[in-house]
Each structure stands twice: as C-alpha cells, then as structure tokens.
Amino acid sequence: MTPFGARLAAAVAARGPLCAGIDPHPGLLRSWGLSEDVAGLERFAMTAVEAMAGDVAVLKPQSAFFEAHGSAGVAVLERVIAESRAAGALVLLDAKRGDIGSTMDAYAAAYLTEGSPLAADAVTVSPYLGFGALDPALDAAAAHGRGVFVLAMTSNPEGGDVQRAVGSDGRTVAQAVVDAAGGRNAAELTEVGGELGSVGVVVGATVDPAVAPDLSGLRGPVLAPGLGAQGGTVEDLRRVFGPVLSWVLPTTSRDVLRHGPDVGRLREAARRLSGELAATLG
C-alpha cells in the first residue's frame, strides 16, 4: 500500500497545496441561509464537497461540528469522507484525538483502519499524554497507508504556555514533538523510500519565527492553520517556514467557505487560493 506521504506529495503536485476546511460552524450555516440542524449541516457539507473535492488536494472536515448533531451528524461526516475520497481528494479528519492504551487503539481503529466508515486518509492527534501514547495511531496509519498530523505549535495563543515550555533536555515541548515525528519519518523512508514521510505536524502560520520549532529534520508534511480569518497571510508562510516551504500544507476554512452557498463561486475561490499558494510554495 502506498504510504500517505507519497500520496500527499502526488496530490499536491497535481492539485496544488491547499487544504480546505469543511467547518459547518453555526455562523456559517446562518450566513448561507441554512437551518442550524442536520438538514442544514448536510446541505452545507455536501455543497462544499461538490464544489471542492474534484479540485483541492486535501479536504479537512472538523469532526466536532458534525458530532454536535449526534449520530445523524456523524452519518453526514461519513458521507463527506466517502464522497470526497471518491472525487479524488485526500481527507484529513480534524479530530485531535489523544489518549492511552486501549482507548487510543479504539481511536486508531475508528479513524485509520480500512473498513471503518470514519476512516480518513489522515487524522489530527494530540501528543499531550506523551508522544509514545500515540503509538497505536502511528502504527495503524503505517499499516494502512494513512497519515497523522501531530499538534506541535498551534495557532491559538493559549497553546504557547504548554508548547513553548522547556524540558530537562533544553528542548521546547513543540521541538520534542517535531523531533519524535521526524524519527518516525526517518524510519519509514529508510524502509520504503520516498521523500516525504507520513507523520506530519501542526504548526500555525501565525507563530513567531523566533520561537517556532526547527522543522529541518521532520521530513514530513506541515499542516499550517491560521490563514485568513485568524490573520495569517501567504507572506507569513514564507516568513515562518522558509526552507521547508515545499513540505507545508496551508489550511483555511472560512476564507473559502464564505463564498458559498453558490457552488461555482466556492469552487472558484478554492481554485484561486490554491493557485496563489502554489506560486508561493513552489
């Protein structure tokens, strides 16, 4: 099975580097003139899939907004995953799961194991119960050709107290996460070859470059939230990521989704932003 890192590299080469979020936020539902219920959720999400899944490299549904509607909302999420993948987009499920032991095994089975209706191409995970606690997800991803994106230095200001804390070895928590992910990628690439590993990290496009972790040893993708509504710009990508720009997967949701509910306008907005990012990231 082709590793996720190789599949992601191929998708970005063919479609550009944009990761477009599908975030059925109540405010966005209202702005589209939709009801704040499962019917509105489904109309919103499937319109986004129709507009973008045929063009965008990666779609990133935010699990929480679907879970908020109970089992019916999760059923919509399953449809988003299946139809996005059928149209050729990779799906990164933004679930930010992180736990220990059998609970982490169960999350890995849900999101990364072939045959699960919630299995995406990759999933976001939280390492703050210890990076080693993520082993079930990392192992399942490797076994099934899927990927994980581990939170390292996020775009929310509250994260700094934890992520910039310095351990006994002199590294920040964020740097330790990046280094652990890099170790996983080094092992994968030694075994199967290729240029991009399947263990990514999340580093915000708005972080201060002076405190950002060193990504040179990662050899994997970098999910960069914060564009648009959170204040990040295309120029910030150059400033923050510099020599590893080619590994960066910029993500935005509201800046594209505000062009709905018209499918054509939504599609054109995604194409335009993807083109701008491709020109910036090379």
Side-chain angles (χ1 to χ4, degrees), residues 7-25:
R7 293 195 292 126
L8 177 61
V12 168
R15 295 182 168 208
L18 176 63
C19 173
I22 300 180
D23 295 4
H25 188 283

Side-chain angles (χ1 to χ4, degrees), residues 5 18 44 46 61 72 76 96 104 106 111-112 116 130 133 135 144 154 171 183 198 207 219 225 231 243-244 270:
L18 176 63
F44 180 97
M46 299 318 301
V76 175
K96 297 184 179 70
M104 198 66 224
Y111 301 124
L112 296 165
S116 169
D135 282 350
H144 295 277
T154 53
R171 295 181 299 169
S198 300
V207 303
R219 301 178 70 188
V244 299

